[in-house]
Amino acid sequence: PLPQSSSTITKAITVDDTTSAKTAFHQITRGNKWLIYSGGDYHNSRQLLSAIKRKFIGKGGKQTKKRKGGTKVAADPTDDATSSDTNATASSSSHGDDNNPIIDIDIGKQWIQQRKQQQIQSNLLHKLLLRVSFTEDNDGGTGCRRPNQILGLKRIPSNVDDIFAYAFQNDSDREITIAATDDGKDTAVKHFVLPLIEFVAMIGGYEWHRKGVYIHALQDTIIPHFGVFPPTRQDYIQLILDNVHFFDRTKKQNNEEQQLQQQQLESQCPISMMEIGIGTGVLSLLLLQHKMVHRVIGTDINPYAVACAKENFQRFGYDANDVVLANLFPPESIMKRNGKVDMPLF
């Protein structure tokens, strides 16, 4: 989410190291309040965030129920699921044979319900906020401000300035223009509030950005940006290589027939490709490096991904002008300049 000025939040209270998870959870869920952690220790704020998450998960998990004797026991949260699965299995056996049972379970509804729960949890955890100050950025006379430091907390990460520089590197729209009245007095806001869970994500993303993600198939690293999924899982990359390896023009062929096939392949017209949802650009770079395609047009609806792919293309020495921000297909001007594409990649 975009940084929010604290003046736009109507219901907010300050919390600190003395605030219990029970109180914080109650204020967020029943009081519908935002919590601004100011005054205390940064590591304690992280612990409070984790405790709120555990309370949310536990709320839909183990409950207590009374036995006939009055003693309380923990209820097994899988009881209902087990009984429903049993009923579904019984229903399926009546509609299908033993080898091909028809499972009468709506997987789509289960998936939608899970996504709803994840959205509720995300909205809840985003209500624990940090205050972040601005620093003036007068380079080139722009008169803008950039995120600088976390306010009111001790033991914050020593490289917080670098983390913000990484996370906000593509966010020219997040620059806060310095407003001034007729008498020249500065009326701009002095700080904004940022969800703590977003700052935690920035820390993890910064480490991937600083080190890069090593891609075995490229024998090099990909640099992810904040807001773009890093290609840490590479099974799908190997899957592409395993299934289109016969197009690989970098491999040396052994017999004369294979060499002839390779020469014929290299003499063909260059193959152009359009990748829709280019992300970090790892798949396009893989195909370019292995000479499976000659040119790539890349689109993405996420501006962070476009900036990320452009940087990675330039690092590998490829033209990044055809990586553009678009919903599915690129602008007509791009297509006119490049002509038709031979292969789409989704």
Side-chain angles (χ1 to χ4, degrees):
L2 293 174
Q4 300 166 315
S5 170
S6 58
S7 61
T8 64
I9 299 176
T10 55
K11 285 186 175 182
I13 61 173
T14 58
V15 295
D16 53 30
D17 293 349
T18 63
T19 305
S20 67
K22 180 179 179 180
T23 301
F25 186 80
H26 178 83
Q27 292 291 349
I28 291 174
T29 55
R30 298 188 181 181
N32 195 27
K33 292 185 176 69
W34 299 74
L35 309 181
I36 302 177
Y37 208 104
S38 57
D41 186 89
Y42 164 74
H43 295 279
N44 289 340
S45 70
R46 292 278 300 264
Q47 291 178 3
L48 180 62
L49 180 68
S50 298
I52 293 173
K53 182 178 180 179
R54 288 194 300 271
K55 279 195 169 291
F56 175 81
I57 295 173
K59 185 180 178 182
K62 292 186 177 181
Q63 307 270 333
T64 57
K65 61 181 181 181
K66 288 187 177 181
R67 284 178 175 169
K68 291 183 179 180
T71 57
K72 293 183 178 181
V73 296
D76 187 353
T78 63
D79 285 346
D80 294 337
T82 304
S83 61
S84 62
D85 288 346
T86 304
N87 294 335
T89 305
S91 176
S92 66
S93 62
S94 63
H95 293 84
D97 55 38
D98 293 337
N99 295 326
N100 299 293
I102 302 173
I103 305 300
D104 190 17
I105 299 177
D106 194 335
I107 303 299
K109 287 184 179 179
Q110 292 182 2
W111 184 83
I112 292 173
Q113 183 62 29
Q114 183 184 24
R115 294 291 294 176
K116 284 182 178 179
Q117 286 297 106
Q118 290 176 342
Q119 185 63 54
I120 293 171
Q121 176 181 298
S122 176
N123 292 341
L124 183 146
L125 296 178
H126 274 76
K127 287 193 172 185
L128 183 58
L129 310 172
L130 302 175
R131 291 189 303 133
V132 180
S133 65
F134 290 108
T135 182
E136 294 187 12
D137 181 10
N138 293 318
D139 293 342
T142 57
C144 295
R145 292 180 172 181
R146 285 290 193 174
N148 183 26
Q149 289 293 331
I150 296 174
L151 300 175
L153 297 183
K154 299 177 293 185
R155 294 203 300 164
I156 61 174
S158 58
N159 60 342
V160 64
D161 197 42
D162 294 333
I163 293 171
F164 282 141
Y166 145 76
F168 291 90
Q169 62 182 316
N170 301 318
D171 296 305
S172 58
D173 58 326
R174 295 190 182 189
E175 293 176 344
I176 307 299
T177 304
I178 298 176
T181 58
D182 293 338
D183 57 4
K185 293 183 179 179
D186 183 6
T187 60
V189 293
K190 303 300 182 182
H191 69 273
F192 68 89
V193 289
L194 179 73
L196 172 58
I197 193 171
E198 287 287 319
F199 181 68
V200 174
M202 290 177 185
I203 295 174
Y206 171 74
E207 291 301 317
W208 284 119
H209 181 79
R210 184 175 64 86
K211 299 176 182 178
V213 181
Y214 183 77
I215 307 298
H216 180 73
L218 290 174
Q219 296 293 299
D220 207 335
T221 57
I222 289 290
I223 305 299
H225 285 201
F226 183 67
V228 185
F229 287 108
T232 51
R233 291 186 59 184
Q234 300 181 26
D235 46 355
Y236 64 95
I237 296 176
Q238 191 60 44
L239 182 65
I240 288 181
L241 287 180
D242 291 343
N243 284 275
V244 296
H245 63 87
F246 47 85
F247 286 121
D248 193 342
R249 304 177 188 179
T250 63
K251 290 186 176 181
K252 299 298 182 181
Q253 308 298 339
N254 297 325
N255 56 50
E256 293 182 0
E257 182 180 355
Q258 290 177 333
Q259 290 178 1
L260 179 61
Q261 290 177 353
Q262 182 177 3
Q263 291 174 1
Q264 290 175 346
L265 181 62
E266 292 175 348
S267 64
Q268 292 177 359
C269 296
I271 298 175
S272 61
M273 183 187 74
M274 176 171 61
E275 183 177 2
I276 299 173
I278 194 167
T280 60
V282 61
L283 293 180
S284 289
L285 288 170
L286 178 71
L287 299 178
L288 285 167
Q289 286 288 84
H290 286 261
K291 302 186 186 302
M292 300 177 190
V293 298
H294 176 73
R295 187 180 74 253
V296 169
I297 299 173
T299 66
D300 207 295
I301 199 172
N302 181 1
Y304 299 168
V306 173
C308 180
K310 280 180 175 289
E311 179 184 331
N312 284 311
F313 268 54
Q314 292 167 354
R315 287 181 58 249
F316 280 83
Y318 295 105
D319 183 12
N321 291 328
D322 292 334
V323 179
V324 295
L325 181 68
N327 186 1
L328 292 180
F329 302 107
E332 187 177 351
S333 59
I334 298 289
M335 299 304 297
K336 284 183 177 179
R337 184 171 71 241
N338 291 278
K340 69 175 185 177
V341 293
D342 303 297
M343 179 174 61
L345 177 64
F346 289 87

